[in-house]
């Protein structure tokens, strides 16, 4: 493609290129590989929002294509400074980068190992207004403005396409990435595994029916591995760890393990993957004779060992999951059933599920850095005596993907037991640093943020609940529902410490339709942005994250589910 057509194409996308750019030194410019310590961008309030996607997660093995197609959205979001676009491919193992740039000598897009902007040359990039690409543009693939990715590495491995905008000072103000892998084969799996197995990251795995890890066996999933659900399977294509079994998914920031749909991006729906279910021997309040049975035919759980270990789950992304058998029998993105404190559960994202994001059925397992967004029902749910300790919990009600009811209710729905609200051990988790944002974009923006009912207690500290219209109990930021849970609050057994629902003192309830936006935390108005949420407060620590070290901008998180279609 000639230089003139490239520039004409970009201009047509409302990026006005300057003929003579403002000189910009590269000394303060950082990227993913060259300054890994700065990889997490802290987005400014009102900075542009980006969404970058590929059509599939894996390539090179049947039935997947041989090279990625990619699409980009940019919303200026009111940002009025000039920016410099950078587009590059990073090897997620070696962190080597290849910058894609317009070669002014040949008029074509080329790949360079030196840090070079998309338009201009190293040390002299072209500054221009932030483009408004809110309608999306095809960057690579058939009919795209750039055609194929130049210098595309198709060797087996893990890569990411990265688009970022830098300001005149050279600092990254917005970034998104689209992870993809080249694999050797797609390996089908179903039924109870014959023994311990290792799922290697040079392959992808297709779940064609329920898969179970039996007692005494361990399923090891290498970092970067992609596990697909067969959405056409008659029974949920799920992965279950039975009591006494173990999962070892010790993944990483740049090599998360992903459970997702096998379909092309525009065709993905909820229930394409059945979900991840883990059964342990930690206590519940459901007794042991007989023990409780997991929903969706997932086996017994519960016991007398609070410290029970079911393995390691670290940097997991679970998408397009769940299965609805009937109103009382459903699979979630992740179900932790009688799981104990010996289990590691960190840096987890659950998106686009047909029921809840994460649900705890009793047990004592805790966790940190847990994100649930775009799930149809509740983002988080607990019942049957869960007593875990969680830090940094974030729930976003955004538009759910196709295939389900989109009946999004609460950020948290919490029970002890029904009908026995006083069952012991009582549900009483400890949650520190929590953010709940309802809409915009959700079909249920006015439901309550938290619904604590049926005898549950909780120890909740440092929480914000936004975009909730407070009119009555059923549409309140925090609804203590039922005499048993109310008693937990009035006797002091339940603590709600520094829970900011945005309602000024003496002004409860709000008039119908009044938004519960947090006073002094204007970031929340942008917290459910359809392309890329911005969750860090302007000052200090508030809710699930902080101004510095914002885990919600991590490279591993994916904001594509249900968005930008």
């Amino acid at each position: 493609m000639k230089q003139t057509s490239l520039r004409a194409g970009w201009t047509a996308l409302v990026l006005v290129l300057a003929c003579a750019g403002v000189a910009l030194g590269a000394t303060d410019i950082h990227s993913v590989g060259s300054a890994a310590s700065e990889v997490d961008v802290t987005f400014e309030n009102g900075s542009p929002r980006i969404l970058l996607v590929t059509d599939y997660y894996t390539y090179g093995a049947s039935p997947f294509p041989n090279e990625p197609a990619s699409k980009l959205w940019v919303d200026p979001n009111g940002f009025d400074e000039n920016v410099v676009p950078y587009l590059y491919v990073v090897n997620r193992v070696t962190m080597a980068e290849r910058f894609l740039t317009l070669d002014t000598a040949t008029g074509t897009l080329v790949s360079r190992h030196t840090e070079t902007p998309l338009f201009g040359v190293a040390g002299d990039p072209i500054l221009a207004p932030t483009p408004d690409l809110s309608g999306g543009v095809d960057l690579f693939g058939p009919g795209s403005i750039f055609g194929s990715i130049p210098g595309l590495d198709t060797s087996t491995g893990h890569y990411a396409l990265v688009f970022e905008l830098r300001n005149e000072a050279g600092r990254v103000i917005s970034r998104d990435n689209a992870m993809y892998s080249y694999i050797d084969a797609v390996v089908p799996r179903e039924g109870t595994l014959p023994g311990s197995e290792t799922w290697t990251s040079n392959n992808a795995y297709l779940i064609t029916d329920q898969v179970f890890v039996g007692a005494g066996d361990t399923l090891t999933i290498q970092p970067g591995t992609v596990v697909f659900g067969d959405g056409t399977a008659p029974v949920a294509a799920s992965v279950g760890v039975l009591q006494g079994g173990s999962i070892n998914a010790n993944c990483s920031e740049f090599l998360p393990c992903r459970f997702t749909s096998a379909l092309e991006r525009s065709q993905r729906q909820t229930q394409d993957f059945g979900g991840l279910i883990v059964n342990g021997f930690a206590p519940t309040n459901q007794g042991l004779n007989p023990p409780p049975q997991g929903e969706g035919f997932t086996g017994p759980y519960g016991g007398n060992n609070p410290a029970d270990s079911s393995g390691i789950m670290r940097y997991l992304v679970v998408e397009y999951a769940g299965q609805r058998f009937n109103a009382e029998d459903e699979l979630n993105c992740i179900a932790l059933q009688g799981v104990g404190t010996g289990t590691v559960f960190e840096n987890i994202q659950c998106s686009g599920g047909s029921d809840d994001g994460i649900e705890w059925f009793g047990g004592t397992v805790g966790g940190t850095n847990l994100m649930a967004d775009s799930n149809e029902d509740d983002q988080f749910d607990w019942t049957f005596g869960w007593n875990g300790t969680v830090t940094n919990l974030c729930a976003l009600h955004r538009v759910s993907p196709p295939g389900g009811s989109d009946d999004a209710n609460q950020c948290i729905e919490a029970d002890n037991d029904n009908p026995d609200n006083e069952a012991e051990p009582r549900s009483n988790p400890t949650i520190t640093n929590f953010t709940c944002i309802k809409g915009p974009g959700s079909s249920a923006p006015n439901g309550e943020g938290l619904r604590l009912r049926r005898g549950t207690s909780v120890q909740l500290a440092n929480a914000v609940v936004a975009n909730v219209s407070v009119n009555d109990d059923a549409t309140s930021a925090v609804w203590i529902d039922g005499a048993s849970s109310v008693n937990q609050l009035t006797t002091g057994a339940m603590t709600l410490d520094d829970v900011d629902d945005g309602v000024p003192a003496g002004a409860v309830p709000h008039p119908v339709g009044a938004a519960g936006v947090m006073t002094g935390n204007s970031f929340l108005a942008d917290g459910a942005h359809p392309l890329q949420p911005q969750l860090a407060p302007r000052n200090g620590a508030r809710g699930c994250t902080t101004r510095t070290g914002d885990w919600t901008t991590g490279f591993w998180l994916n904001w594509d589910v249900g968005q930008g279609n």
Side-chain angles (χ1 to χ4, degrees):
M1 186 177 289
K2 297 297 184 183
Q3 175 181 353
T4 54
S5 61
L6 272 173
R7 292 201 176 209
W10 197 255
T11 301
L13 301 168
V14 203
L15 175 61
V16 180
L17 297 178
C19 294
V22 177
L24 175 64
T27 55
D28 293 327
I29 297 175
H30 68 265
S31 58
V32 170
S34 61
S37 64
E38 297 183 276
V39 67
D40 291 338
V41 181
T42 298
F43 298 127
E44 296 288 349
N45 184 49
S47 65
R49 294 292 175 262
I50 299 171
L51 179 64
L52 181 66
V53 303
T54 53
D55 52 346
Y56 291 95
Y57 289 119
T58 59
Y59 299 89
S62 179
F64 299 105
N66 290 324
E67 62 180 85
S70 180
K71 190 168 184 176
L72 170 71
W73 289 261
V74 178
D75 180 355
N77 202 38
F79 192 78
D80 58 2
E81 297 179 27
N82 287 338
V83 295
V84 178
Y86 283 75
L87 181 64
Y88 55 97
V89 176
V90 60
N91 183 311
R92 292 187 282 128
V93 177
T94 67
M95 302 311 297
E97 298 164 340
R98 293 183 297 103
F99 285 79
L100 307 180
T101 185
L102 179 68
D103 189 319
T104 56
T106 63
T108 58
L109 195 68
V110 298
S111 171
R112 291 176 174 162
H113 290 288
T114 55
E115 191 171 87
T116 308
L118 182 58
F119 298 105
V121 297
D124 189 19
I126 294 177
L127 280 158
T130 304
D132 184 353
L133 308 180
S134 53
V137 57
D138 294 316
L139 288 183
F140 300 106
S144 65
I145 62 172
F146 292 138
S148 296
I149 299 175
L152 180 66
D153 188 347
T154 61
S155 57
T156 301
H158 306 291
Y159 309 92
L161 188 65
V162 182
F163 182 84
E164 63 188 27
L165 296 175
R166 304 181 185 181
N167 66 10
E168 191 169 350
R171 187 171 60 83
V172 177
I173 58 170
S174 286
R175 172 193 290 148
D176 197 25
N177 73 84
M179 295 188 190
Y180 64 93
S181 299
Y182 272 87
I183 58 172
D184 294 329
V186 177
V187 181
R189 281 290 182 268
E190 67 176 31
T192 300
L193 300 179
S196 294
E197 286 192 3
T198 297
W199 291 0
T200 56
S201 65
N202 63 304
N203 297 320
Y205 293 81
L206 179 64
I207 309 303
T208 58
D209 203 334
Q210 287 183 302
V211 167
F212 290 108
V213 181
D217 295 332
T218 298
L219 172 60
T220 298
I221 304 177
Q222 288 185 346
T225 302
V226 180
V227 179
F228 293 113
D230 181 358
T232 66
V235 179
S238 58
V239 174
V241 180
L242 300 180
Q243 285 186 305
S246 182
I247 181 171
N248 180 18
N250 191 15
C251 308
S252 65
E253 168 91 6
F254 294 98
L255 295 170
C257 293
R258 189 182 307 274
F259 297 80
T260 188
S261 170
L263 299 178
E264 192 273 334
R265 178 183 177 274
S266 65
Q267 300 174 358
R268 296 170 190 161
Q269 301 186 40
T270 64
Q271 306 185 61
D272 282 348
F273 171 65
L276 175 63
I277 305 97
V278 183
N279 295 347
F281 287 107
T284 76
N285 59 23
Q286 297 299 290
L288 294 174
N289 189 24
Q293 296 288 318
E295 295 181 10
F297 317 104
T298 55
Y301 62 92
N304 296 308
N305 183 7
D308 184 45
S309 174
S310 296
I312 299 173
M313 291 165 279
R314 181 179 282 132
Y315 288 104
L316 260 60
V317 178
V318 182
E319 307 167 336
Y320 304 101
Q323 181 76 43
R324 178 169 294 189
F325 302 99
N326 57 58
E328 300 300 324
D329 193 4
E330 300 174 285
L331 293 181
N332 306 287
C333 280
I334 296 180
L336 302 173
Q337 304 182 149
V339 177
T341 58
T343 305
V344 175
F345 192 63
E346 301 173 351
N347 298 299
I348 309 292
Q349 183 182 25
C350 292
S351 301
S354 68
D355 189 29
D356 304 323
I358 300 173
E359 183 162 5
W360 292 267
F361 294 83
T364 54
V365 64
T368 188
N369 295 354
L370 308 183
M371 175 72 68
D373 67 279
S374 310
N375 297 290
E376 287 179 3
D377 194 13
D378 309 306
Q379 304 310 308
F380 298 101
D381 200 335
W382 70 71
T383 189
F384 295 166
W386 177 49
N387 275 269
T389 297
V390 173
T391 57
N392 303 342
L393 194 70
C394 186
L396 303 181
H397 269 302
R398 306 198 301 167
V399 175
S400 302
S405 64
D406 196 21
D407 60 351
N409 289 324
Q410 293 84 26
C411 290
I412 290 178
E413 181 181 80
D415 298 350
N416 183 43
D417 180 47
N418 186 39
D420 185 3
N421 294 174
E422 308 304 323
E424 293 287 344
R426 185 185 300 274
S427 294
N428 187 21
T430 299
I431 299 173
T432 306
N433 307 336
F434 172 62
T435 295
C436 163
I437 299 179
K438 304 292 294 287
S442 168
S443 64
N446 296 325
E448 62 270 13
L450 290 78
R451 187 179 186 184
L452 308 175
R453 64 179 188 177
R454 295 174 177 173
T456 191
S457 192
V458 69
Q459 312 304 309
L460 178 62
N462 186 27
V464 289
V465 183
N467 298 348
V468 176
S469 294
V470 183
N471 181 41
D472 53 31
D473 283 346
T475 54
S476 59
V478 181
W479 183 14
I480 314 297
D481 180 8
S484 181
S485 288
V486 168
N487 184 60
Q488 290 294 301
L489 180 65
T490 57
T491 61
M494 176 191 298
T495 60
L496 304 177
D497 182 14
D498 194 16
V499 178
D500 187 350
D501 65 1
V503 182
V508 180
H510 270 320
V512 175
V517 177
M518 307 303 104
T519 302
N521 286 281
S522 60
F523 76 99
L524 290 172
D526 199 27
H529 193 285
L531 297 183
Q532 196 177 51
Q534 196 270 309
L535 301 171
R538 292 177 300 172
N539 299 293
R542 203 76 182 96
C544 71
T545 189
T546 63
R547 186 79 177 96
T548 58
D550 181 7
W551 68 274
T552 67
T553 64
F555 198 86
W556 62 284
L557 288 162
N558 178 30
W559 302 116
D560 176 29
V561 174
Q563 314 303 316
N565 291 309

